[in-house]
Amino acid sequence: MIPKTFVIGDIHGGLKALVQVIERATVSKNDPLIFLGDFVDGWSESPAVLDFLIALEKTHNCIFIKGNHDDLLLQWLTGKKVDFNEQLWFQHGGKATAMAYEKITPTEKEAHITFLQSLQNYHLDSQNRLFVHAGFTNVKGVEHEYFKPLFYWDRTLWETALAMDNQLSKEALTYPNRLKIYKEIYIGHTPVTKIDETIPVNKACVWNVDTGAAFQGKLTIMDVDTKEFWQSDALPDLYPNEKGRN
């Protein structure tokens, strides 16, 4: 059987949703899994999500990309509080994560730090498909990006794609250079629910796979070749006694 390559959107501490989509997509051990980041912050199982991913990497071909929330957690866990606003982090999902870590042993915490430090800024495959949490700004591409945090904080790539026509034909000649470098770009970071969608959205060459799991939405896993996708139940249904990032 030919392996399928799957891309997974922002999880935000929703372990139950992650387990659901892996089961619903019938992922095999031969199928590459590309995680777009933001594994934590929102629902109550952020440490458990990291444990699950660490274990999954031992049995599956996994690529883990850094999200802005993953970087925030790493700063918090390692005590790097310069320019770190803990109160603001708490307001955007970090409080549930901090509370969950009250039950985590020092050994487990060190394993999570090691995992978070190993995350990639982006992944570029053999078919010139780019996988990145948020975006990039350099007109020559990700290899030339000067300010690395843009990989997990930028929103202008998605905003630009939204402003462009969705048909890559002769009009594509007028597209910004960032949207002509790669065959496809897969991102998370900005939920498609902001444009009243609940499934993966394609604009220009960009596929946004963040379907709002941190809020009222669902977690999505998608076959990057066929574009078939599977979703979890809505996260508030899986965690009825929690608020997530709502």
Side-chain angles (χ1 to χ4, degrees):
M1 183 178 295
I2 300 175
K4 299 178 180 179
T5 299
F6 292 104
V7 61
I8 300 95
D10 303 31
I11 301 166
H12 284 289
L15 177 62
K16 295 176 182 178
L18 177 56
V19 171
Q20 278 189 340
V21 296
I22 288 178
E23 290 178 348
R24 291 175 181 180
T26 60
V27 173
S28 77
K29 293 184 178 181
N30 296 321
D31 298 328
L33 299 170
I34 303 173
F35 292 84
L36 291 175
D38 274 5
F39 310 122
V40 303
D41 293 353
W43 306 101
S44 62
E45 298 192 275
S46 288
V49 167
L50 298 186
D51 286 335
F52 183 90
L53 296 177
I54 291 169
L56 188 69
E57 188 175 24
K58 296 177 181 178
T59 58
H60 291 69
N61 179 8
C62 298
I63 295 171
F64 300 115
I65 294 170
K66 181 190 295 185
N68 55 308
H69 285 271
D70 309 316
D71 186 64
L72 289 170
L73 174 59
L74 178 60
Q75 292 182 55
W76 184 75
L77 288 175
T78 55
K80 295 180 180 179
K81 301 298 179 67
V82 177
D83 297 326
F84 181 85
N85 188 327
E86 185 176 75
Q87 183 178 359
L88 187 61
W89 177 55
F90 276 18
Q91 293 174 1
H92 291 276
K95 185 174 182 180
T97 302
M99 291 176 63
Y101 269 95
E102 293 176 359
K103 303 176 182 179
I104 301 302
T105 68
T107 299
E108 291 171 322
K109 188 178 297 185
E110 285 301 318
H112 294 177
I113 290 173
T114 298
F115 175 76
L116 293 169
Q117 290 174 332
S118 74
L119 301 180
Q120 301 181 32
N121 283 329
Y122 62 86
H123 172 67
L124 187 60
D125 73 6
S126 61
Q127 297 184 47
N128 196 35
R129 299 181 297 198
L130 174 67
F131 301 83
V132 63
H133 177 67
F136 63 98
T137 61
N138 195 291
V139 296
K140 294 182 179 180
V142 292
E143 300 93 335
H144 302 275
E145 188 62 69
Y146 179 77
F147 190 58
K148 306 304 182 184
L150 288 173
F151 291 132
Y152 41 93
W153 280 105
D154 177 68
R155 295 195 195 276
T156 63
L157 179 76
W158 178 237
E159 291 169 348
T160 303
L162 282 174
M164 297 293 104
D165 187 271
N166 203 28
Q167 295 182 354
L168 287 174
S169 58
K170 61 181 180 181
E171 292 86 358
L173 295 175
T174 64
Y175 273 41
N177 285 337
R178 283 188 295 170
L179 299 179
K180 295 189 289 186
I181 299 172
Y182 304 107
K183 178 182 177 181
E184 292 175 333
I185 303 173
Y186 292 85
I187 65 167
H189 190 50
T190 305
V192 296
T193 49
K194 289 182 177 293
I195 54 173
D196 296 325
E197 294 291 345
T198 58
I199 62 175
V201 174
N202 173 221
K203 296 294 181 182
C205 65
V206 181
W207 280 92
N208 189 334
V209 195
D210 181 357
T211 48
F215 301 96
Q216 298 290 332
K218 304 175 181 181
L219 178 63
T220 295
I221 183 172
M222 186 167 77
D223 183 325
V224 299
D225 294 306
T226 67
K227 304 304 184 285
E228 183 178 8
F229 64 89
W230 300 259
Q231 294 186 298
S232 69
D233 295 348
L235 273 289
D237 293 335
L238 294 174
Y239 297 92
N241 299 318
E242 300 180 24
K243 293 184 178 180
R245 294 185 61 198
N246 296 294

